[in-house]
Amino acid sequence: MELNSHHNQLTDQIRECYGRVVWTHKTHEKCADILDDSHNLIKLVQIILSAATTTGIFAAVFGSQPFIGYISAVISLILTILTTYVKKYDLGGLSQKHRDAAASLWNIRESYLSLITDLTTKSIDEPEARTKRDSLQASLHKLYKGSPSTNVGSAYKLASEALQQNEELTFSDEEIDKFLPVSLRKTSS
């Protein structure tokens, strides 16, 4: 097999790893967003149920309609069930674990991108590229072992939309140029 063919196969394999990390990173971000939204909604419902229970108790004690006390008892039971769920499933903590995983994956993702750039520009040789690839793979393995699973089905859908339709990870030359000094820009706008 020709030397250039080995180089292309190595580059292709590293590109594949990069793609998987991009997807996993975005999926962890979306899982965190979903869990945050659920956590915030549950907290809002808890506040509303607490207010309704308190209001109902005051109305039952100081009013002349005893059925309000029964309604307040039912609302209080629902609040207790919801509070028990929140205690058992720490959505805020799980969301933070997904955010931490995404932050760690960001660094690995960018390292893969740098490695692809180094290989493409031939600024490193294949043995050095293999060493860096293996190191990144070991870092990924360690990270995946300590990360929560991304089994939230809607997170995959949101990640797909973000990456393929909304192009959240891509920028045009014009967009990048807006962040750079004039001397470093590619476009003439």
Side-chain angles (χ1 to χ4, degrees), residues 6-189:
H6 286 280
H7 182 80
N8 289 341
Q9 288 175 343
L10 180 61
T11 302
D12 288 347
Q13 190 246 346
I14 292 171
R15 287 170 49 88
E16 182 73 23
C17 292
Y18 170 73
R20 285 193 298 267
V21 172
V22 166
W23 275 95
T24 304
H25 170 259
K26 188 54 68 176
T27 303
H28 273 289
E29 283 185 340
K30 296 305 178 183
C31 278
D33 291 345
I34 290 167
L35 291 168
D36 275 343
D37 290 347
S38 297
H39 182 71
N40 291 336
L41 178 63
I42 288 171
K43 290 297 184 186
L44 177 64
V45 169
Q46 283 179 307
I47 291 168
I48 292 168
L49 292 176
S50 291
T53 301
T54 303
T55 303
I57 289 170
F58 279 119
V61 169
F62 298 112
S64 60
Q65 299 164 330
F67 74 91
I68 292 178
Y70 297 118
I71 293 171
S72 295
V74 170
I75 293 172
S76 179
L77 175 63
I78 293 168
L79 178 59
T80 301
I81 292 168
L82 189 60
T83 302
T84 303
Y85 172 81
V86 169
K87 182 177 177 3
K88 185 176 180 181
Y89 301 103
D90 180 11
L91 299 180
L94 186 55
S95 170
Q96 187 58 50
K97 287 180 182 179
H98 280 289
R99 292 217 184 280
D100 292 345
S104 297
L105 283 165
W106 176 87
N107 187 50
I108 293 172
R109 183 192 77 195
E110 294 304 305
S111 295
Y112 269 117
L113 181 59
S114 295
L115 180 56
I116 292 167
T117 303
D118 291 344
L119 272 169
T120 303
T121 60
K122 297 185 183 348
S123 55
I124 62 171
D125 60 13
E126 287 183 31
E128 186 180 356
R130 284 188 188 91
T131 300
K132 286 185 177 186
R133 175 203 60 196
D134 294 345
S135 175
L136 287 170
Q137 196 63 32
S139 296
L140 266 178
H141 176 69
K142 184 177 177 183
L143 175 64
Y144 286 157
K145 280 178 60 175
S147 296
S149 66
T150 55
N151 59 3
V152 180
S154 53
Y156 292 113
K157 183 176 185 250
L158 291 172
S160 178
E161 289 173 6
L163 292 170
Q164 294 178 345
Q165 294 170 9
N166 300 341
E167 298 181 359
E168 284 188 15
L169 194 61
T170 59
F171 302 96
S172 68
D173 284 339
E174 291 82 11
E175 289 172 313
I176 294 170
D177 282 350
K178 289 179 184 175
F179 303 120
L180 295 171
V182 175
S183 63
L184 298 176
R185 294 181 182 175
K186 277 186 164 185
T187 61
S188 60
S189 56

